[in-house]
Amino acid sequence: MLGRTSRRFISITLNNPVKPPFIPLVSENGIIDAIGNTPLLKLPKLSDSIGRNIYAKAEFMNPGGSIKDRAALYIINDAEKKGLIKPGGTIVEGTAGNTGIGLAHVCRAKGYKCIIYMPNTQSKTKIETLKLLGAEVHPVPAVAFTDPENYNHQAKRHADSLENAVWTNQFDNIANRQAHIETTGPEIWAQLDGKVDAFTCSTGTGGTFAGTSRYLKSISGGKVKAVLADPPGSVLYSYIKSNGKDIVRGGSSFTEGIGQGRVTDNLQPDLEIIDDAIRIPDEDSIHMVYKLLDEEGLYLGGTGALNVVAAVEVAKTLPEGSNVVTILADSAHKYSDRIFSKKWLQEKGLYDAIPDNLKKYAVLE
């Protein structure tokens, strides 16, 4: 994170005309201090096409490959500070994958065991990655949060049955949100010298959107517009649009790890600062996956693509030259056997959403 003593920075005098080719960030604490401080990428072709600047946090460059590394580190650190876990203990979590991968990396570095429950609808690559990181993985049927067999409830029961174990409870553990108040938000503000007009991204636990929005709203005196982006099947769009009066259920999305059937404890404290919500159709998200690969050279998962679509839509409501920031949650590596498979895309009714000139990237069977 910013300002850690384990970082070493080049000292540059104000009258030095030489710009170093890179700033060598050194983590004296291994992977732990390498989490965060990700680049903020302007998407030049997309920005030029709409006359506004789309900036995106390259969270796929975290050591574990996603935005969830930040939450994983803060959640475990919080458990340690509260004395909830001791050396040699076990971390248990229910996750769609990325938080589990982040936790598994941090657990390996800190010497904890890691047990993960996840919906069996998630990509095979996520499950394999968790196992390769030494995690014990329990893929279980995907059922609603209200069902006792929901993967989160199963994770809690497993943790309760063990000695020296903690269920990290990423959805309602506000250490998740705090990670973004203390790191993601400040990084974005510093990287754009405070020139942030709007922030948008999707939510799973709500930690990234809520924490980052809270920081940007606070430091800007409320000037930064905060817009929640939602995939089909999530209730948050209807909840926010109706000022909390309606929760419209139904539908599904090819995106993984985002969308929600309830308001989590991570999101709840910041409902009042949300300016608007936008729903992004799967067709637009899959189109953007291919567009970003072809035009910007970015190999992203569906969540990152959805976030960029949302950023473009938000930008169109703002004056020319405005700066809109979003999150590139992870890369496409864990989803490539799906989103670049012509057969899978056709089965999901998404193949025709891809322009003919971009279908050349759907090269997998």
Side-chain angles (χ1 to χ4, degrees):
M1 314 316 164
L2 293 177
R4 285 191 172 172
T5 56
S6 60
R7 305 284 188 182
R8 295 175 183 160
F9 297 91
I10 289 178
S11 176
I12 307 171
T13 59
L14 293 177
N15 60 357
N16 187 347
V18 178
K19 181 179 180 181
F22 68 97
I23 298 176
L25 303 178
V26 179
S27 170
E28 304 289 357
N29 196 27
I31 191 174
I32 301 301
D33 285 349
I35 293 172
N37 275 330
T38 56
L40 186 67
L41 311 179
K42 182 178 179 179
L43 306 184
K45 293 181 180 177
L46 197 57
S47 298
D48 289 347
S49 71
I50 62 172
R52 283 88 173 160
N53 303 311
I54 305 297
Y55 287 94
K57 266 301 227 174
E59 292 300 300
F60 56 85
M61 296 182 72
N62 276 303
S66 85
I67 182 76
K68 294 298 187 177
D69 285 11
R70 297 178 186 261
L73 178 59
Y74 265 69
I75 285 171
I76 291 180
N77 284 349
D78 183 65
E80 291 174 338
K81 290 174 185 175
K82 292 177 178 176
L84 300 177
I85 192 161
K86 298 176 178 61
T90 303
I91 296 293
V92 188
E93 181 57 288
T95 169
N98 278 334
T99 301
I101 291 168
L103 287 169
H105 276 286
V106 177
C107 283
R108 294 273 33 88
K110 287 177 171 281
Y112 297 125
K113 298 173 186 176
C114 185
I115 299 175
I116 300 297
Y117 281 78
M118 65 190 304
N120 59 11
T121 54
Q122 302 305 294
S123 68
K124 179 182 177 183
T125 306
K126 283 183 180 178
I127 297 172
E128 291 174 343
T129 300
L130 284 164
K131 290 180 177 179
L132 288 168
L133 288 167
E136 178 184 318
V137 186
H138 297 267
V140 298
V143 295
F145 184 79
T146 53
D147 191 313
E149 296 307 305
N150 177 274
Y151 63 100
N152 287 292
H153 304 319
Q154 292 199 52
K156 182 181 187 302
R157 290 196 296 269
H158 195 138
D160 289 344
S161 72
L162 301 174
E163 293 291 331
N164 191 19
V166 62
W167 171 50
T168 45
N169 187 20
Q170 61 162 325
F171 289 88
D172 295 310
N173 185 339
I174 60 172
N176 174 352
R177 171 177 174 267
Q178 193 64 30
H180 303 288
I181 292 175
E182 294 187 17
T183 69
T184 316
E187 288 172 28
I188 290 169
W189 189 256
Q191 286 167 317
L192 284 177
D193 294 324
K195 298 178 179 66
V196 183
D197 297 297
F199 173 72
T200 183
C201 75
S202 51
T203 72
T205 64
T208 300
F209 176 76
T212 306
S213 295
R214 171 59 67 181
Y215 178 85
L216 293 175
K217 280 280 190 182
S218 297
I219 197 168
S220 69
K223 294 180 180 178
V224 175
K225 188 175 183 180
V227 180
L228 184 147
D230 226 17
S234 174
V235 306
L236 296 177
Y237 171 80
S238 61
Y239 186 85
I240 291 166
K241 281 293 194 180
S242 66
N243 292 317
K245 296 177 182 177
D246 297 326
I247 291 184
V248 179
R249 302 185 185 278
S252 62
S253 174
F254 81 94
T255 56
E256 298 184 19
I258 58 173
Q260 189 54 262
R262 64 189 180 95
V263 176
T264 66
D265 287 355
N266 276 294
L267 185 60
Q268 184 68 50
D270 298 304
L271 288 173
E272 79 275 9
I273 68 170
I274 300 175
D275 294 291
D276 202 358
I278 184 170
R279 177 171 284 162
I280 306 299
D282 273 359
E283 291 80 4
D284 292 355
S285 295
I286 199 70
H287 179 184
M288 187 59 77
V289 166
Y290 282 70
K291 182 181 178 72
L292 289 170
L293 177 59
D294 187 67
E295 296 184 4
E296 306 285 357
L298 288 167
Y299 183 63
L300 301 175
T303 298
L306 181 151
N307 289 345
V308 172
V309 174
V312 170
E313 293 304 309
V314 171
K316 290 176 181 177
T317 70
L318 300 174
E320 288 191 16
S322 296
N323 293 336
V324 179
V325 180
T326 192
I327 302 291
L328 304 181
D330 62 2
S331 75
H333 288 92
K334 296 184 288 293
Y335 320 98
S336 59
D337 60 341
R338 297 184 178 189
I339 61 177
F340 294 106
S341 163
K342 180 178 179 181
K343 179 180 177 181
W344 184 87
L345 290 164
Q346 288 174 331
E347 289 174 351
K348 297 296 181 180
L350 295 173
Y351 186 68
D352 290 338
I354 303 168
D356 288 341
N357 67 309
L358 299 181
K359 288 178 178 175
K360 61 187 177 182
Y361 295 108
V363 296
L364 303 181
E365 295 298 327

